[in-house]
Amino acid sequence: PHGERLDLPEAHDELRALAAEFNGLLSRQEDVSERLRRFTGDAAHELRSPVASIRVQAEVAVANPDPELAQETLADILAESERLSALLDGLLTLARSDAGEVPPAEPVELVTEARAAIARLPPGSPSARVSGVAGRSWAHAAPAEVELILNNLLRNACRYARAQIVVSVLASKATVRVVVDDDGPGIAPEHRDLVFDRFYRVADDRARTSGGTGLGLAMVSEAVRRRGGHVTVGESPEGGARFVVVWRKATGEPG
Ligand code: ADP
């Protein structure tokens, strides 16, 4: 029995494995706190600019009783308040996701969701359609997640498309995917991984006061990754952006 218990090489291996696991845990923990620190700093920075702008404009309005100027100032204040609300909504959504508050998954039919998302686009948007649908495709997701994902991708596509947006729903053996193509300027390869980072916006878009928050694609990425799926961006046949969202197929799919 003595010989059996003192199997030293094996004990060493186990210790080494344990140490490796511990170190892995430690560095993951460091990654998480570093990311959290950066996120808090970035969020404060992003919230600061609309708040500062609102304050300056209100000060101007108070100091200057010209009613015409006041109208202009109020419109600016309204626009900045809307930006602030969008930022706070995005931050809240991400905070809930970080805290593991995730809606329960159920089979979600993507063709229906894609059509509904297109129907929600504001009047005057570029033409958008669902193309090449063969049958129905059920994703392992939550309806609210799919809605958030499609809304964000379509809203972005509308902002950049010249004339048209095409949404395709495709199924393979184990996965279902939604492809959103636009015919806008596209996203240069060096930005393609980064656009999914929180607050990341391509330089030109930062300068532009397009009202974006830089949180949309980060929310999209979170919402699909927590279901074991993923999202990527490439180039559409028209040279615009092509976003591809892949989910696991819902098991025991209805219909
Ligand atoms: P934003 O609120 O700025 O739209 P997103 O996270 O949705 O934030 O997008 C991040 C950045 O990715 C955008 O600022 C823009 O530069 C770029 N982007 C997103 N969608 C497209 C698209 N369809 N075509 C070109 N650029 C895009």
Side-chain angles (χ1 to χ4, degrees), residues 156 159-160 182 186-187 195 200-202 205 212-214 216-217 241 243:
N156 281 346
R159 200 177 286 159
Y160 296 95
D182 69 53
I187 298 177
V195 290
Y200 189 87
R201 301 167 75 195
V202 177
D205 291 310
T213 61
L217 291 176
F243 282 89

Side-chain angles (χ1 to χ4, degrees), residues 36-118:
L36 205 62
R37 236 196 321 272
R38 204 178 55 216
F39 180 49
T40 313
D42 290 348
H45 181 81
E46 295 285 335
L47 290 169
R48 212 175 162 170
S49 96
V51 171
S53 166
I54 287 171
R55 182 173 178 167
V56 168
Q57 310 245 40
E59 277 168 4
V60 170
V62 166
N64 193 328
D66 175 1
E68 211 165 292
L69 185 72
Q71 271 307 312
E72 229 172 85
T73 311
L74 282 176
D76 282 348
I77 288 179
L78 189 61
E80 291 293 343
S81 311
E82 277 161 7
R83 200 179 131 59
L84 204 51
S85 290
L87 265 167
L88 288 170
D89 287 347
L91 287 171
L92 204 59
T93 303
L94 285 167
R96 288 210 182 102
S97 171
D98 287 348
E101 277 176 47
V102 173
E106 58 181 89
V108 182
E109 209 283 305
L110 295 177
V111 178
T112 312
E113 293 292 336
R115 294 208 169 111
I118 287 175

